Amino acid sequence: MFKPLKKEIVSVLVDNQANVLTRVVSLFGRRGFNIDSLTVSATNDPNLSRITIVFSATEQKMQQILTQTEKLEVVKSIYVLNRENSLYRELLLIKIEADQSQRTAIKEIVDIFRGKIVDLSRESLIIELTGTPEKLDGFMDVIQDYKIAEVCRTGITGIESHPKKLK
């Protein structure tokens, strides 16, 4: 019987110490989960770091991995970010090869998506764009008509205004 995969965004507060990321991520790997996106950052508490993980799983498998992650002694709390009550952002840096004749059209696209050109040379330009993953995907779809030299995406980071702690 087919069980649908559900994409989840999880926020994990962990001790800010060496090898914590390895311990959390290797738990996912050992259980056969593929991580779609991973970001780590400091928090307002210097003793804690936040790991934001995006992955897909069936409901049952998701609960299992969350419960196992919560049991790690370096994990202080774990939250599934509620899509209706959360903000998600991702950063995109993209280098496009463009001569002077193409720059105006590219700038118009960048302006529509509220991005900015952060570097310019005779042969290329680098664009910075921040937003939801869907916004960045939309930009990538529109900009495909130009020669893309490089793309860097940070992965999703998110925050929920009223997180619900797992059991």
Side-chain angles (χ1 to χ4, degrees):
M1 182 171 140
F2 174 74
K3 293 185 180 182
L5 293 180
K6 184 177 177 185
K7 185 171 273 198
E8 289 294 351
I9 301 173
V10 177
S11 181
V12 186
L13 286 175
V14 296
D15 289 332
N16 186 12
Q17 62 187 37
N19 293 322
V20 171
L21 179 61
T22 302
R23 294 183 69 193
V24 173
V25 170
S26 65
L27 179 67
F28 277 74
R30 285 193 313 269
R31 302 297 187 273
F33 288 92
N34 183 44
I35 294 175
D36 299 322
S37 173
L38 176 72
T39 60
V40 183
S41 64
T43 66
N44 56 318
D45 182 342
N47 297 313
L48 297 176
S49 292
R50 178 180 312 278
I51 303 173
T52 306
I53 305 170
V54 180
F55 68 100
S56 298
T58 63
E59 186 67 34
Q60 179 185 8
K61 293 284 187 185
M62 183 200 51
Q63 286 304 322
Q64 287 175 344
I65 191 67
L66 295 178
T67 300
Q68 291 168 353
T69 303
E70 188 175 38
K71 289 179 183 177
L72 291 172
E73 67 273 3
V74 294
V75 173
K76 299 306 170 201
S77 62
I78 184 168
Y79 303 93
V80 175
L81 295 179
N82 177 322
R83 292 181 188 277
E84 292 77 37
N85 198 24
S86 299
L87 294 173
Y88 306 114
R89 293 295 181 263
E90 186 174 0
L91 170 68
L92 167 73
L93 291 174
I94 182 169
K95 181 190 257 184
I96 299 174
E97 292 180 12
D99 58 29
Q100 195 169 8
S101 67
Q102 296 172 309
R103 291 187 186 145
T104 301
I106 293 171
K107 183 173 178 351
E108 287 176 6
I109 295 169
V110 171
D111 290 345
I112 289 169
F113 281 88
R114 295 188 179 139
K116 55 184 162 181
I117 296 171
V118 293
D119 188 59
L120 180 64
S121 71
R122 292 184 190 274
E123 302 84 30
S124 67
L125 49 94
I126 298 175
I127 299 162
E128 175 185 309
L129 184 64
T130 304
T132 64
E134 295 80 15
K135 175 183 175 181
L136 273 53
D137 291 342
F139 176 80
M140 291 296 296
D141 186 49
V142 171
I143 209 74
Q144 288 297 323
D145 294 339
Y146 299 93
K147 183 159 171 79
I148 297 172
E150 286 184 67
V151 174
C152 298
R153 288 179 79 158
T154 60
I156 296 170
T157 191
I159 192 166
E160 190 171 55
S161 57
H162 301 290
K164 294 177 183 160
K165 188 171 185 282
L166 297 177
K167 297 177 187 176

